[in-house]
Amino acid sequence: MQRNFKQELIGCFGFPVAENPTQAMVEPAFRALGLDWRYLTLEVQPEDLEAAVAGARAFGFRGFNCTIPHKVEVIRHLDGLGESAALIGAVNCVVVRDGQWIGENTDGKGFVTSFRELSDPVGQSLVILGAGGAARAIAVEMALAGASAITIVNRSIDRGRELTALLEEKVLPLYPELKIRFSPLTENFSVPDHADVLINATSIGLYPDVSALIPIDLSTLRSGMLVADVIPNPPRTRLVRAAEECGCRVIDGIGMLVSQGVKGIEYWTGQSPDPAIMRAALEAVFTSDS
Ligand code: NDP
């Protein structure tokens, strides 16, 4: 009997990385697709990133995810970038295409997919809290998906203005109708009347600081508004619970995490995994942690 003992490899490069749960979500999806593939969670120090990428090429990896602190630095070690990764200026998913190592950004794409399960981004006015990597990816992809207005709200004014400048420079020429605004995140921030969608893309509410709530005036959340939170752990953040109490429709951070994982598996394998299997695997991890 002839058997193939060689498994296909995908990695996740990060530092720190031990608490990253992606492996627990991706490997059950590989198994359900009948693929003998492994997803390795690999601690890569910043000074070892170049060698790690060369190692991935040498071992014949089929691709890899990269997370903090490598999302920008990895670009110089790749052969090219997908459209949104080039606009965002950050890569979280590397794919091998015709022997070329191409950087993609699936964070924002994952958000758009989970958003579309509830609503159409076209014509929506968004208020995005945060201006870090997640906010950049979401703002760019939601603009490409047809949002009509984006207000960036951030604690650090410099970082907030940097993101609005990126949108003005790179996205506005493609979508001249897009309205772009900036507001500082101050105590008791009022969600503006024009907002159809409020997105928390800050790290407020992330485990272990689960009692933290973004400093907004909850009375300015309107019934029918869509509220999304990127925090996957715990998925039912204080914001998600408060929004539900106000009659808002909500998207939790597991939806985004699963959808970006689905996109990555499609890029690497050419097959579509079952998101329900991935969500159940993640929920099992987060429930066993709490
Ligand atoms: P960054 O460190 O790049 O950005 C963090 C953002 O949060 C900044 O805008 C920062 O504001 C803001 N922030 C942090 N603490 C506070 C605070 N106490 N008060 C006000 N603002 C604060 O992180 P990322 O953008 O990469 O990640 C943000 C979150 O998104 C993380 O929790 C991550 O887990 C989650 N995420 C979820 C994904 C998913 O698939 N569900 C995918 C990617 C990320 P300032 O600029 O003022 O410091």
Side-chain angles (χ1 to χ4, degrees), residues 107 130-134 154-156 159 185 201-204 206 230-232 253 256-257 260:
D107 282 338
N154 199 49
R155 175 180 63 179
S156 139
R159 210 166 178 203
L185 180 59
T202 73
S203 37
I204 299 173
L206 186 66
V230 299
I231 301 296
M256 176 177 170
L257 195 54
Q260 65 81 26

Side-chain angles (χ1 to χ4, degrees), residues 25 67-68 71 92 106-108 110-111 129-138 152-160 163 185 187 200-207 209 212-215 229-233 252-261 282:
M25 167 178 84
T67 184
I68 290 171
K71 287 185 179 183
N92 75 324
T106 57
D107 282 338
F111 181 85
L129 306 171
R136 285 163 86 101
I138 291 169
I152 301 296
V153 180
N154 199 49
R155 175 180 63 179
S156 139
I157 291 175
D158 285 354
R159 210 166 178 203
L163 175 49
L185 180 59
E187 249 343 283
N200 174 37
T202 73
S203 37
I204 299 173
L206 186 66
Y207 181 86
D209 199 4
L213 177 64
I214 51 171
D229 199 330
V230 299
I231 301 296
N233 182 20
D252 68 27
I254 291 197
M256 176 177 170
L257 195 54
V258 169
S259 302
Q260 65 81 26
L282 271 184

Side-chain angles (χ1 to χ4, degrees), residues 244-268:
E244 279 174 348
E245 278 167 24
C246 296
C248 303
R249 293 172 299 157
V250 300
I251 299 173
D252 68 27
I254 291 197
M256 176 177 170
L257 195 54
V258 169
S259 302
Q260 65 81 26
V262 166
K263 198 81 213 159
I265 292 173
E266 287 173 348
Y267 278 146
W268 297 318

Side-chain angles (χ1 to χ4, degrees):
M1 189 173 75
Q2 196 174 10
R3 276 189 59 186
N4 177 10
F5 292 97
K6 177 187 165 297
Q7 294 164 329
E8 300 301 332
L9 300 178
I10 301 285
C12 175
F13 298 172
F15 182 79
V17 79
E19 79 294 349
N20 188 305
T22 309
Q23 179 189 62
M25 167 178 84
V26 169
E27 291 207 326
F30 285 158
R31 281 195 293 278
L33 288 170
L35 296 172
D36 189 17
W37 287 40
R38 295 299 316 275
Y39 184 99
L40 307 177
T41 303
L42 299 166
E43 192 169 88
V44 176
Q45 304 268 357
E47 61 273 24
D48 293 329
L49 181 62
E50 183 174 5
V53 176
R57 291 183 193 247
F59 283 124
F61 275 40
R62 303 291 287 259
F64 59 90
N65 280 131
C66 50
T67 184
I68 290 171
H70 304 313
K71 287 185 179 183
V72 174
E73 203 52 33
V74 74
I75 292 173
R76 65 165 75 199
H77 307 301
L78 303 177
D79 302 314
L81 295 178
E83 185 198 7
S84 63
L87 290 172
I88 296 162
V91 162
N92 75 324
C93 181
V94 175
V95 191
V96 187
R97 287 191 193 117
D98 301 326
Q100 301 284 296
W101 289 60
I102 304 298
E104 296 283 357
N105 194 306
T106 57
D107 282 338
K109 290 187 202 313
F111 181 85
V112 172
T113 302
S114 52
F115 189 93
R116 285 204 171 112
E117 284 166 15
L118 287 193
S119 189
D120 183 350
V122 173
Q124 306 259 11
S125 173
L126 319 180
V127 171
I128 302 181
L129 306 171
R136 285 163 86 101
I138 291 169
V140 168
E141 290 286 359
M142 286 296 278
L144 299 184
S148 62
I150 297 182
T151 303
I152 301 296
V153 180
N154 199 49
R155 175 180 63 179
S156 139
I157 291 175
D158 285 354
R159 210 166 178 203
R161 290 211 186 281
E162 221 173 90
L163 175 49
T164 51
L166 179 144
L167 295 172
E168 281 160 4
E169 215 176 284
K170 304 218 168 142
V171 181
L172 200 55
L174 305 172
Y175 298 90
E177 306 293 311
L178 179 69
K179 290 193 178 56
I180 302 164
R181 305 181 184 92
F182 170 73
S183 286
L185 180 59
T186 48
E187 249 343 283
N188 224 24
F189 175 80
S190 292
V191 180
D193 289 343
H194 60 73
D196 303 312
V197 180
L198 175 74
I199 302 164
N200 174 37
T202 73
S203 37
I204 299 173
L206 186 66
Y207 181 86
D209 199 4
V210 297
S211 62
L213 177 64
I214 51 171
I216 61 164
D217 177 356
L218 292 175
S219 70
T220 56
L221 292 178
R222 301 185 312 278
S223 156
M225 187 182 263
L226 211 155
V227 174
D229 199 330
V230 299
I231 301 296
N233 182 20
R236 289 186 55 74
T237 58
R238 278 190 68 193
L239 175 66
V240 163
R241 285 178 279 141
E244 279 174 348
E245 278 167 24
C246 296
C248 303
R249 293 172 299 157
V250 300
I251 299 173
D252 68 27
I254 291 197
M256 176 177 170
L257 195 54
V258 169
S259 302
Q260 65 81 26
V262 166
K263 198 81 213 159
I265 292 173
E266 287 173 348
Y267 278 146
W268 297 318
T269 70
Q271 297 190 49
S272 291
D274 182 351
I277 289 175
M278 296 165 70
R279 184 167 183 113
L282 271 184
E283 278 173 348
V285 169
F286 293 146
T287 314
S288 68
D289 277 356
S290 58

